[in-house]
Amino acid sequence: MDVKMVRHPSGQNLPILVDDDGLPIPLANEWILQRRDLSPNTLTRNLRELAIFYAWLESLNIDFLARIDGDSIFTEAELAGSLCERLRLTAKVDLGQAGVAAIVQGIKVAVSPLTFKLRLITVRQFISWCFRFKMAKLASGDPVFLRIQAHKEHVDKILSDQEISNPPQNKSVAKGLRDHEVVALVWCVDFRNPDAYGLNEHVRFRNFIIVMTMLTFGLRPAEVLTLRVGDVEFGSVTALRVFRRAADPNDTRSPQPRVKRNGRDIEMQVPTFINLIEEYIEIHRESVMERYGKNHDYLIISDEGDPLHGNSISNYFQIIRQKFRDRLPSNLTPKSLRHTYSSRTERDMAQRGVPEDERKQILAYLRGDSSTRSQEVYISGEIIRQAVAVQSKYHDVLMQSFLEYTNHE
């Protein structure tokens, strides 16, 4: 059983789940098709989670379609005692060589509570959709309809009872970079740094623009990779425009990067960075495009002038972490730059006295998020930072009293 990515003529990439013979599994793929408004990465994760479910069905010789039709029902022992326990264990597709070796040796490796919760939600939603799909073909007064409806409620109740409301989290771990780590990062990627990574000045300049764009505006890596030259509007008020676009049939990258949630207009207020963006477009990008005879309007390009692939950004961060391991933190990733932007913006608004509800709305807009709930982690992070500062001050006062008493003795 495997998940494969299929590129449609429209340019959209969609994953499909295939069995051991390479044939598509109809129900799972139909469910994915009606969820294609989600990102390809989310759909791929959903199918990998369903692959575990189908492997479980196969291991127990359960005819899933017969169960949905109402020929027999899922028992609590099967769902709570067997399926949920299988979802708590690591699948081979999730492991490296060490993990696969552990499975071969019979060692059971447990996944994190959050991973289990996501798997359970996906399986529960899929089974519920299958029941609704079957019920839609029947009359509401049909005895078979009523039997299937009762079976659906039975399965949903068992699986919902297994969900974890709040997986434990370690909130003391900061997702973003500290202030001194930001300063170190800017110097390590500065195109004027003789030790900066890049084959030539054009590549080093591009790498600097990528890092600074994500760090300055909180963009996701995919949002940076979807930018066109025309999205940078120079003028009396220079702005960076992030768009949600239809899939580009001419974009051969797989997976194809795209704006995940909301687009937004971002004012660029720092003249120095505006001049650097302009220099990148007019000199460095143009030079590479002419050298390799490329003709497209993507802003960030590879060493050969093609639209840059997302893997290249991930690899770049791995390289600079290794190259500057004495200066850069081990948690430096493209996502950590977005977290850094969000945390520092939240801190600045809190210091200005902006009310919490307004801070959530502002962060949601600046980050391109659809919900204000996702901003709570940064509100909580600022509370933790203030708590640490208060505790540190308390400890200083406490130790000062101890020293005064010691000197008095």
Side-chain angles (χ1 to χ4, degrees), residues 13 66 79 103 107 155 185-186 188 192 227 259 323-324 331:
N13 292 324
L79 296 176
I103 283 185
I107 302 173
V155 171
L185 172 63
V186 172
C188 291
R192 297 167 298 182
L227 289 175
V259 177
K323 185 178 180 65
F324 301 102
N331 67 329

Side-chain angles (χ1 to χ4, degrees), residues 202-203 205-214 219-232 240 251 253 257 273 276-277 280-281 284-285 288-289 296-310 312-313:
H202 305 306
V203 175
F205 204 98
R206 178 207 66 195
N207 294 341
F208 177 75
I209 291 297
I210 291 174
V211 172
M212 293 305 296
T213 300
M214 290 193 290
L219 268 61
R220 301 175 179 88
E223 291 174 338
V224 175
L225 297 177
T226 59
L227 289 175
R228 269 60 161 188
V229 173
D231 294 342
V232 184
L240 181 67
D251 187 356
R253 291 175 289 184
F273 191 62
L276 290 172
I277 287 281
Y280 167 72
I281 294 174
H284 302 282
R285 180 185 180 278
V288 175
M289 296 286 283
H296 60 79
D297 61 349
Y298 284 97
L299 178 65
I300 305 299
I301 60 175
S302 68
D303 302 4
E304 293 79 26
D306 297 314
L308 189 67
H309 196 283
S312 298
I313 292 184

Side-chain angles (χ1 to χ4, degrees), residues 295-336:
N295 183 23
H296 60 79
D297 61 349
Y298 284 97
L299 178 65
I300 305 299
I301 60 175
S302 68
D303 302 4
E304 293 79 26
D306 297 314
L308 189 67
H309 196 283
N311 291 340
S312 298
I313 292 184
S314 300
N315 293 338
Y316 172 69
F317 276 81
Q318 292 179 1
I319 291 171
I320 62 173
R321 278 202 312 268
Q322 179 65 25
K323 185 178 180 65
F324 301 102
R325 56 182 176 273
D326 56 333
R327 290 172 173 256
L328 300 179
S330 59
N331 67 329
L332 174 63
T333 63
K335 286 186 177 180
S336 67

Side-chain angles (χ1 to χ4, degrees), residues 24-212:
I25 299 178
L27 270 180
N29 293 317
E30 286 184 37
W31 184 63
I32 288 297
L33 279 175
Q34 58 94 30
R35 291 164 59 88
R36 56 181 160 184
D37 58 306
L38 303 176
S39 72
N41 289 339
T42 300
L43 299 179
T44 300
R45 174 178 62 80
N46 290 157
L47 284 181
R48 286 175 177 167
E49 291 161 344
L50 289 185
I52 301 173
F53 172 66
Y54 273 96
W56 172 79
L57 292 172
E58 185 177 352
S59 67
L60 296 183
N61 294 319
I62 294 176
D63 188 340
F64 183 55
L65 292 179
R67 296 290 179 97
I68 296 297
D69 289 340
D71 296 345
S72 59
I73 68 170
F74 283 107
T75 66
E76 186 166 358
E78 288 173 335
L79 296 176
S82 180
L83 172 60
C84 290
E85 290 306 309
R86 180 64 192 86
L87 296 177
R88 287 186 171 93
L89 300 179
T90 306
K92 289 185 179 181
V93 293
D94 300 331
L95 296 170
Q97 294 181 351
V100 173
I103 283 185
V104 171
Q105 296 172 8
I107 302 173
K108 296 182 178 180
V109 184
V111 298
S112 68
L114 179 58
T115 299
F116 166 71
K117 180 177 181 178
L118 292 175
R119 288 178 176 181
L120 186 59
I121 290 173
T122 298
V123 171
R124 180 184 170 192
Q125 289 177 340
F126 172 66
I127 295 177
S128 179
W129 176 83
C130 291
F131 276 121
R132 295 196 306 271
F133 182 80
K134 179 63 179 178
M135 291 163 59
K137 301 178 181 179
L138 304 172
S140 59
D142 192 327
V144 176
F145 178 93
L146 300 177
R147 186 169 68 250
I148 294 176
Q149 185 179 42
H151 188 193
K152 172 183 177 298
E153 294 173 355
H154 165 75
V155 171
D156 193 67
K157 176 66 168 59
I158 294 174
L159 294 181
S160 64
D161 288 344
Q162 300 299 313
E163 285 191 9
I164 302 173
S165 58
N166 261 321
Q169 299 178 20
N170 186 358
K171 292 187 177 180
S172 64
V173 177
K175 294 184 177 181
L177 305 180
R178 302 177 187 273
D179 292 346
H180 71 277
E181 292 171 339
V182 172
V183 174
L185 172 63
V186 172
W187 168 242
C188 291
V189 302
D190 193 327
F191 58 91
R192 297 167 298 182
N193 182 353
D195 296 326
Y197 178 77
L199 296 176
N200 52 54
E201 61 174 333
H202 305 306
V203 175
R204 290 192 293 272
F205 204 98
R206 178 207 66 195
N207 294 341
F208 177 75
I209 291 297
I210 291 174
V211 172
M212 293 305 296

